[in-house]
Amino acid sequence: MYRPHSTLEQWRILQAVVDYGGYAHAAEALNKSQSSLNHAVAKLQAQLGVQLLEVKGRKAELTDEGKVLLRRSRQLTQQIEQLEQLAANMEQGWEHELLISREAIYPSSYLFDALSRFYPESRGTRVTVIDNIISGSTDAITNRRVDLAISGHVPPGHLGVPLAMIRMVLCCHPDHPLTQESVVEPARLERELQIVIRDTGPLAADPDKDIGWLKAKERWTVSLFRDAIDILRRGVGFCWIPEHEARPYLDNGELIELKSTVYKHLIPINLIIPDEDNLGPAGKRFAELIRASSPMGGDIACVPSEPANQQADDAD
């Protein structure tokens, strides 16, 4: 087994001598004697067989070799600090990884705000975000596949904290025949091609559960709203799109919002903790930041679970 010739303390002393501009200031910062620092650096150079510092006038400066090794030593000491911090986090129960399920209609800007605020406190916690649609969200919650879930449905036995109300708009291209209707009836929509978003969960095999499907005889199914938007911009089909996703294209005239008698234009989004008893401090802190970054997150009132058959109704 390889045994290192140098110690971590020697490299830290060398870093301090460089960072504080000499032995005297470094000794004061480290609360050590100047002679002990001189001895540590001299011993380090002897052990390595490489000169790290050279005296120029009254100042010690790094050699070219010293610059290379100092840079690598900083990486080493940083990794050691991260390793020790990880061990401390484990001792405190701070999770090293969080898995988040996000309903695809929830605005990315809210989630990214929470992530950016979490990062300085994260202690190296890895965060994975998975986008889900309808039963994908429900499956992640009921089977406790994730630590936190941002969902449009509150499954039985769970409570949701309101985050936002997402308005869905019925969109098509300005040249689409549906724009000739002042108010579009469901029967009229059924005669046109509809673009729908595919369910990501166990019910994906059932086409009736795809998001927003209005029983149109012709339908194309995609996985992303941005794909649906790109299809609409080419003059093909109609689709329910979250307003925040459609707004840039509605404002520049590439898409038109249709008026319809179809109900349920608003979808409530909630934060759900699938297994609150086992959620650690990192998950709890991130949950706080998600609430703080959402329009309705300050409302601590919980939303009760939905009836078991409610999800099927909402998919229509």
Side-chain angles (χ1 to χ4, degrees):
M1 179 180 290
Y2 176 76
R3 300 184 65 178
H5 300 291
S6 59
T7 67
L8 193 61
E9 181 65 15
Q10 288 173 318
W11 287 110
R12 283 175 169 158
I13 289 173
L14 176 65
Q15 292 169 16
V17 170
V18 173
D19 293 342
Y20 289 100
Y23 288 97
H25 290 135
E28 183 178 351
L30 297 177
N31 196 27
K32 293 179 178 290
S33 68
Q34 185 172 335
S35 61
S36 68
L37 268 60
N38 273 285
H39 176 73
V41 173
K43 185 176 181 180
L44 177 62
Q45 292 182 122
Q47 291 169 327
L48 297 175
V50 175
Q51 186 175 1
L52 303 174
L53 296 172
E54 57 183 354
V55 178
K56 291 186 177 180
R58 302 184 63 179
K59 187 176 181 181
E61 296 185 1
L62 284 167
T63 63
D64 290 340
E65 294 84 357
K67 291 177 182 176
V68 173
L69 293 174
L70 179 70
R71 184 167 60 250
R72 294 292 296 274
S73 77
R74 292 190 191 280
Q75 297 173 1
L76 176 64
T77 53
Q78 183 181 26
Q79 289 171 352
I80 291 295
E81 290 171 4
Q82 291 173 346
L83 183 63
E84 292 175 349
Q85 182 63 63
L86 177 60
N89 293 343
M90 289 178 174
E91 182 184 12
Q92 297 169 13
W94 188 276
E95 305 96 300
H96 68 278
E97 184 172 12
L98 291 175
L99 189 57
I100 315 298
S101 172
R102 188 265 299 265
E103 192 85 36
I105 64 173
Y106 181 73
S108 297
S109 59
Y110 299 155
L111 181 59
F112 295 164
D113 283 347
L115 284 168
S116 64
R117 295 170 67 178
F118 179 68
Y119 178 68
E121 309 176 30
S122 64
R123 306 184 191 180
T125 297
R126 293 178 293 180
V127 179
T128 300
V129 178
I130 301 171
D131 279 344
N132 277 309
I133 297 287
I134 307 182
S135 74
S137 296
T138 302
D139 179 63
I141 296 166
T142 56
N143 290 301
R144 299 181 178 182
R145 302 186 191 278
V146 295
D147 300 294
L148 299 171
I150 300 170
S151 175
H153 302 277
V154 181
H158 296 271
L159 293 176
V161 176
L163 296 179
M165 293 292 290
I166 305 302
R167 181 171 180 260
M168 304 295 289
V169 292
L170 192 60
C171 298
C172 69
H173 189 274
D175 294 334
H176 194 282
L178 287 173
T179 60
Q180 304 304 312
E181 307 282 340
S182 57
V183 178
V184 186
E185 298 292 338
R188 178 69 181 86
L189 291 172
E190 290 178 10
R191 299 199 299 271
E192 297 290 341
L193 170 68
Q194 182 178 1
I195 313 300
V196 295
I197 309 301
R198 183 176 181 272
D199 190 329
T200 58
L203 300 181
D206 183 352
D208 288 353
K209 298 300 181 288
D210 289 333
I211 189 169
W213 186 39
L214 300 175
K215 314 303 181 187
K217 294 181 175 59
E218 292 185 276
R219 55 182 254 167
W220 292 352
T221 303
V222 296
S223 297
L224 304 172
F225 281 109
R226 64 171 176 265
D227 291 342
I229 290 172
D230 281 348
I231 294 172
L232 298 182
R233 292 167 63 201
R234 288 164 170 77
V236 178
F238 70 91
C239 184
W240 286 101
I241 304 288
E243 184 177 21
H244 63 273
E245 297 269 12
R247 179 50 54 194
Y249 305 98
L250 295 172
D251 289 345
N252 67 18
E254 290 188 77
L255 295 182
I256 293 290
E257 179 182 353
L258 298 168
K259 293 183 179 179
S260 172
T261 57
V262 178
Y263 188 57
K264 293 182 180 174
H265 297 297
L266 292 175
I267 298 180
I269 299 296
N270 299 281
L271 175 64
I272 300 166
I273 302 176
D275 188 4
E276 191 163 6
D277 290 340
N278 290 310
L279 187 67
K284 291 176 181 177
R285 179 55 181 153
F286 191 46
E288 291 175 357
L289 293 174
I290 290 174
R291 292 197 295 268
S293 300
S294 300
M296 299 170 60
D299 183 2
I300 60 173
C302 290
V303 176
S305 60
E306 299 172 353
N309 62 351
Q310 184 67 44
Q311 292 182 45
D313 295 339
D314 285 347
D316 292 341

Coordinates of all heavy atoms in Angstrom, one line a residue, residues 59 67 74 93 177 206 220 263:
K59 N 11.1 38.4 0.0 CA 9.8 37.7 -0.2 C 10.0 36.3 -0.8 O 10.8 36.2 -1.7 CB 8.9 38.6 -1.0 CG 7.5 38.0 -1.1 CD 6.6 39.0 -1.9 CE 5.2 38.4 -2.0 NZ 4.3 39.3 -2.8
K67 N 3.7 26.3 -8.1 CA 2.4 26.7 -8.6 C 1.5 25.6 -9.0 O 0.3 25.5 -8.6 CB 2.6 27.7 -9.8 CG 3.2 29.0 -9.4 CD 3.4 29.9 -10.6 CE 4.1 31.2 -10.3 NZ 4.3 32.1 -11.5
R74 N -4.8 22.4 -3.4 CA -6.1 23.0 -3.0 C -7.2 22.1 -3.4 O -8.2 22.0 -2.6 CB -6.2 24.4 -3.8 CG -5.2 25.4 -3.3 CD -5.6 26.8 -3.9 NE -4.6 27.8 -3.7 CZ -4.4 28.5 -2.6 NH1 -5.1 28.2 -1.5 NH2 -3.4 29.4 -2.5
G93 N -28.0 13.2 10.1 CA -29.2 12.8 9.4 C -29.5 13.6 8.1 O -30.5 13.4 7.5
P177 N -58.9 26.4 -38.4 CA -60.3 26.6 -38.6 C -61.1 26.9 -37.3 O -62.1 27.5 -37.3 CB -60.8 25.2 -39.2 CG -59.5 24.7 -39.9 CD -58.4 25.1 -39.1
D206 N -53.4 3.4 -20.7 CA -54.8 3.8 -21.0 C -54.8 5.1 -21.6 O -54.6 6.1 -21.0 CB -55.6 3.8 -19.6 CG -57.0 4.1 -19.8 OD1 -57.4 4.4 -21.0 OD2 -57.8 4.0 -18.9
W220 N -52.7 13.3 -31.5 CA -51.2 13.0 -31.5 C -50.8 13.1 -30.0 O -51.2 14.1 -29.3 CB -50.5 13.9 -32.4 CG -50.7 13.7 -33.8 CD1 -51.4 12.7 -34.4 CD2 -50.2 14.6 -34.9 NE1 -51.5 12.9 -35.8 CE2 -50.7 14.0 -36.1 CE3 -49.5 15.7 -35.0 CZ2 -50.4 14.6 -37.3 CZ3 -49.2 16.3 -36.2 CH2 -49.7 15.7 -37.4
Y263 N -65.0 23.1 -19.1 CA -64.7 23.6 -17.8 C -63.3 23.2 -17.4 O -62.5 22.6 -18.1 CB -65.7 23.0 -16.8 CG -65.7 23.6 -15.4 CD1 -65.8 25.0 -15.2 CD2 -65.5 22.8 -14.3 CE1 -65.7 25.5 -13.9 CE2 -65.4 23.3 -13.0 CZ -65.5 24.7 -12.9 OH -65.5 25.2 -11.6

